[in-house]
Amino acid sequence: MEFAAIFALSLLIGALVLLVAVAVGRQKDELSEQNEQKKDSSAPVEESAAKASSKKQKQQQRPRKEKPQQHTFSHKLLASSLKNHSGNVTCLDFSSNGKYLASCSDDRTIRIWSTKNFLERDHKCLRANVEFDHATLVRFSPDSRAFITWLANGETIRIYKMIKKDDGTFSFKASSEDFPQKHKGSVINIGIAETGKFIMSASVDTTIVIWDLKGEVLATINTNQMTNSHVAVSPCGRFVASCGFTPDVKVWEVCFAKSGEFKEVARAFDLKGHSAGVYSFDFSNDSRRMVTVSKDGTWKLWDTDVEYKKKQDPYLLRTVPCQVSEGSRIALSPDGRVVAISNGFDIAMYSATTGELEEEFHGVHSEEITDLKFDINNRFLVSSGDRAIRVFHNATGYRAAIQDMQSMLKKASNEGVRQRLQQQITDAQNALDTVLNATKN
């Protein structure tokens, strides 16, 4: 009896152990399945998190700033390219002694170049720094020992003196005080009279201010042209001219007494003949000729050697069709023989005597041309627009000079005059041959 009871109890305990073992096995299988599911579901999340982290790191990395490529340009008459500026050049000016070219840029520097180095391989220059600002305009003083600038942020004129060192170079010293702020609109040009008696500044809002050299206002002119597009002082230092929205150019005389005291600004004469607004104008070196370029697609040559006080009007000598664009600039060579006109990125050169198109330069700069100037000796034409200054041989000027002198030689009766003209023709022809041979090589 006891044996049967013990046997039955053993069977019961074995069954219970078997049931517990089965239950534990099932629970392990369920836990294993759940872990696999969690692992599978977490994989995309981890992958997404890894991608987000990588993207964030890329965003935090600063993009590498690539240095802009210098614009390349070539032409048979290109004498050189001056490339020391790191910003776009906005203005150019030759000194009256013909030795220097000044340039200003938004790189906060003004650079002085030696014209005798234009044909050299290396183009060294002197640098004047503009503290906490940059200059948009620059003009030499009549004695070539100083220059004035227009400051973009300060909106004022600053004078720099050029102090010659023992080694022949210059240091630059800014004046202790800048001119007071008088303009409300953007200033488009400044100038110094060759007589040294006054300084001019002009803004787009039809205002011209005449200053003395110490920064005192002598007079203010309202051009009444709705907007000014260009204003300049004549090379003789007597006149200030302006053009703008209206189809004419207005010219005033800045008058001084014999004692040197300022008297008045008197209206001198107008250039009338264009059918649309005038973009720009320029004077010959003796102020006896002027050229204008207009929105109407023409340039005009004028004889301004007139007795305007007797109401004599300037004479229109020539009208020539040309390609123009907003902001076209025009330059007349100092001897009055060559006209250069900018059209966007291009330059065209004409004979002032015949009106014929002589040379075309396409894609001179990567930006629209900002300035165009002939040197005082009629040898070079310079232009600005991007970081480089282009220097061109004035072959058109040499040809025009030879033609003019040959015409004069035919009319000359005096033997001394004939010999002098013949020598000048020979010199001009030799200079032209040198330029053309250099461009071939």
Side-chain angles (χ1 to χ4, degrees), residues 356-368:
E356 293 294 322
L357 176 63
E358 297 281 344
E359 300 287 349
E360 288 185 286
F361 312 124
H362 297 287
V364 179
H365 297 278
S366 60
E367 307 281 343
E368 290 191 0

Side-chain angles (χ1 to χ4, degrees), residues 197-198 209-212 216-220 254 256 262:
K197 292 181 178 180
F198 69 91
V209 178
I210 307 298
W211 313 77
D212 67 13
E216 296 292 330
V217 175
L218 299 176
T220 301
V254 183
F256 289 83
F262 171 74

Side-chain angles (χ1 to χ4, degrees), residues 204-223:
V204 72
D205 64 355
T206 76
T207 302
I208 301 173
V209 178
I210 307 298
W211 313 77
D212 67 13
L213 301 187
K214 296 180 180 179
E216 296 292 330
V217 175
L218 299 176
T220 301
I221 306 169
N222 183 356
T223 65

Side-chain angles (χ1 to χ4, degrees), residues 144-212:
S144 305
R145 295 178 182 176
F147 56 84
I148 63 172
T149 63
W150 179 260
L151 303 182
N153 299 325
E155 296 183 335
T156 184
I157 291 173
R158 178 175 293 172
I159 299 176
Y160 285 82
K161 289 184 179 179
M162 299 170 59
I163 303 169
K164 198 165 189 177
K165 298 180 182 179
D166 294 336
D167 61 359
T169 62
F170 292 94
S171 62
F172 306 98
K173 183 179 180 180
S175 56
S176 57
E177 292 185 8
D178 298 332
F179 281 27
Q181 295 180 344
K182 292 295 181 181
H183 288 282
K184 295 180 181 179
S186 300
V187 167
I188 57 174
N189 207 3
I190 56 176
I192 310 178
E194 190 63 25
T195 57
K197 292 181 178 180
F198 69 91
I199 290 173
M200 178 279 300
S201 61
S203 57
V204 72
D205 64 355
T206 76
T207 302
I208 301 173
V209 178
I210 307 298
W211 313 77
D212 67 13

Side-chain angles (χ1 to χ4, degrees), residues 4-74:
I6 291 171
F7 181 76
L9 183 61
S10 298
L11 288 174
L12 181 61
I13 290 171
L16 287 172
V17 171
L18 185 61
L19 287 171
V20 169
V22 172
V24 169
R26 285 182 179 177
Q27 190 174 6
K28 284 183 177 179
D29 291 341
E30 289 176 0
L31 287 171
S32 178
E33 274 186 27
Q34 288 176 2
N35 288 334
E36 287 294 330
Q37 288 176 356
K38 285 182 179 179
K39 189 175 180 180
D40 293 342
S41 62
S42 65
V45 175
E46 289 175 359
E47 186 179 353
S48 177
K51 287 183 179 179
S53 176
S54 175
K55 186 176 181 181
K56 188 176 181 181
Q57 286 179 354
K58 287 182 179 179
Q59 287 177 346
Q60 287 177 348
Q61 290 177 354
R62 301 179 79 178
R64 185 177 294 177
K65 193 173 183 180
E66 294 185 4
K67 188 176 180 180
Q69 294 293 319
Q70 185 81 295
H71 176 66
T72 57
F73 169 79
S74 62

Side-chain angles (χ1 to χ4, degrees), residues 89 325-327 343-345 365-371 384-386:
V89 180
S325 59
E326 190 73 30
N343 171 34
F345 314 102
H365 297 278
S366 60
E367 307 281 343
E368 290 191 0
I369 292 168
T370 54
D371 211 350
S384 63
D386 46 29

Side-chain angles (χ1 to χ4, degrees), residues 168-309:
T169 62
F170 292 94
S171 62
F172 306 98
K173 183 179 180 180
S175 56
S176 57
E177 292 185 8
D178 298 332
F179 281 27
Q181 295 180 344
K182 292 295 181 181
H183 288 282
K184 295 180 181 179
S186 300
V187 167
I188 57 174
N189 207 3
I190 56 176
I192 310 178
E194 190 63 25
T195 57
K197 292 181 178 180
F198 69 91
I199 290 173
M200 178 279 300
S201 61
S203 57
V204 72
D205 64 355
T206 76
T207 302
I208 301 173
V209 178
I210 307 298
W211 313 77
D212 67 13
L213 301 187
K214 296 180 180 179
E216 296 292 330
V217 175
L218 299 176
T220 301
I221 306 169
N222 183 356
T223 65
N224 294 313
Q225 290 174 308
M226 295 184 69
T227 58
N228 291 335
S229 58
H230 186 60
V231 180
V233 180
S234 65
C236 66
R238 291 175 58 194
F239 304 108
V240 171
S242 77
C243 65
F245 184 79
T246 59
D248 53 357
V249 177
K250 298 180 179 181
V251 183
W252 292 264
E253 183 181 7
V254 183
C255 305
F256 289 83
K258 291 183 179 180
S259 60
E261 294 181 356
F262 171 74
K263 286 175 58 179
E264 63 176 349
V265 177
R267 188 70 166 270
F269 55 84
D270 294 350
L271 304 180
K272 297 181 177 181
H274 284 291
S275 59
V278 179
Y279 288 137
S280 181
F281 62 85
D282 198 16
F283 294 89
S284 61
N285 198 47
D286 58 10
S287 302
R288 295 181 176 183
R289 294 285 188 273
M290 287 183 69
V291 287
T292 56
V293 63
S294 167
K295 189 177 180 180
D296 64 14
T298 65
W299 66 265
K300 294 179 183 290
L301 175 67
W302 308 81
D303 178 357
T304 53
D305 186 19
V306 296
E307 296 185 48
Y308 58 88
K309 291 182 179 179

